[in-house]
Amino acid sequence: MNDPEAARGYHRLTMHDPSGLRPNDPRLVRDYQPLRWDRKPPQFKTYPGLEAILLPDDISLIPGGGLGVGLLSRLLFLSAGVVRTADLAGEKVYFRAAGSAGNLSPVEVYVVTGDMAGLDAGVYHYEPVEHALVRLGDAPAETPPALVLTGVPWRTAWKYRERGFRHLYWDAGTMLAQTLALAEEAGLVARVELGFVDHVVAALVGADGVHEVALAVVPLTGASTTLPDPDEVTVGHLADDPLEFPLVTLAQRAGDLATDEDVEGWRRAAAPLGTPRGSSDAPSLRRPLDEVIRGRGSCRQFDPRRTAPGELLGGAMAWATRAVPGDFVADGATLLDHYLTVHAVEGVEPGAYRWRSGELEQLRTGQVRDVAAHLCLDQALGGNGAYTAFHCAPLDDVLGALGSRGYRAAQLEAGIVEGRLHLFAYDRGLGATGLTFYDREVARFFASEADPMLVTAVGAPDYAPVPGGLPRRPLHLRRN
Ligand SMILES: Cc1cc2nc3c(=O)[nH]c(=O)nc-3n(C[C@H](O)[C@H](O)[C@H](O)COP(=O)(O)O)c2cc1C
């Protein structure tokens, strides 16, 4: 259990390489044809026949309101709700409040709670389209409220094959960046807990542990939570013919914790881990968070002629790398190092940099737009923004201390930083996008010991984004 070699092997086997060749390894599915439209997984989990409890459609923040169904509605909608729809090749496609690679959104959200104002105790599934909850089972009246995030590998592996396992944690991270900010704004402390007994959490929400796996538990009360024991829960529908990628199952399973003692041991190992994030003060967001989140969309085209204000780098990085309250790293510390290619930022010479402990350290000077675009899987977006941040983790150290479960933590923290950079950029009227990358080339270019986990490009968009809609009234985009 929790053997670090499994995550190391997974990571190596799912690296992108410019040659386009995949490793010849029996653990990879060889004859799979990605993006077969006749096999496209549904975007959402469904519970046919179960009654939907509509959440309030007023998602405004009521100052001093406390955690009741109103605030829960705001947290859920602005973390995981549907804000836009579009027609693509005759099919309705839903876009969610948080970014997700390929818009595949493989993360499901459950609420486990005791009685709260406006909502009875229970285990609930969040329905993003209807902005509703369906009640799956019971929970004791005194259960502290928590979210449980699960990942559906097939939904993202349909396009990204085995690399989709990384996406589960990236996309949970972008979502949690929003949840954490919304909780903080409302005076709550949401914690990101990765130490839990996997089969217990999976059973609590009706996940089978293969086609749907537990990703994170997020208590909303500031304290670490003890979830209730699993009871009878209704099991939903994920897809008609989900394909299992054995390497994904292996990578997740290798990190599983089986007992409460395992959880305690894992948390003890995490408690001293990480590098201090430094003392640089982070500026605040200036606009209401609901406006920022509804205005967020991944930038599809940056304007390379525009130079970003210096705050978009120093301020955004300081804000995005604030400590994540949780159990996977020491308090106030981070598992990540960030390497940057700077292209057009006021007061910062173009070149390659490292961001560590709140300081920007120059590694080399000169314009590197072309290199940056190449590193990001030869995507122009990687080079035409103001800067591109490569979120890296010293995997040997992380896996050495935390076993294969540490891989989940490093990927998730990278997703959170990515999501926060988005929020900061949109707050300041600029844009950002998540990007994938050639793993070894990134490490080689920055001469870094750390492995890239995820990339964010930040800059001035080439167009004015349209804000998303409200619960049950998403903005409709015409795409064809
Ligand atoms: C983790 C992550 C990785 C992404 N990788 C890429 C990428 O490599 N190339 C790209 O063009 N967009 C990428 N995106 C952007 C998504 O395609 C975009 O978030 C998705 O289509 C949803 O659109 P929205 O963010 O505007 O809501 C990524 C987004 C995330 C969150």
Side-chain angles (χ1 to χ4, degrees), residues 95-96 99-103 170-171 174 296-298 300 379 381 418 433-436 454:
F95 290 83
R96 314 274 292 267
S100 159
N103 191 40
W170 294 348
D171 291 351
T174 60
R296 188 212 64 79
S298 292
R300 302 289 82 205
Q379 299 181 87
L381 278 168
E418 204 277 322
T433 185
L435 289 171
T436 197
L454 183 57

Side-chain angles (χ1 to χ4, degrees), residues 11-18 21 23 163 375 437-448 450-452:
H11 189 66
R12 195 170 29 78
L13 287 172
T14 56
M15 287 180 174
H16 274 317
D17 184 273
L21 293 175
R163 194 168 163 101
L375 296 179
F437 48 89
Y438 293 126
D439 298 74
R440 287 194 189 86
E441 308 254 310
V442 172
R444 206 174 299 137
F445 173 70
F446 290 106
S448 104
D451 285 70

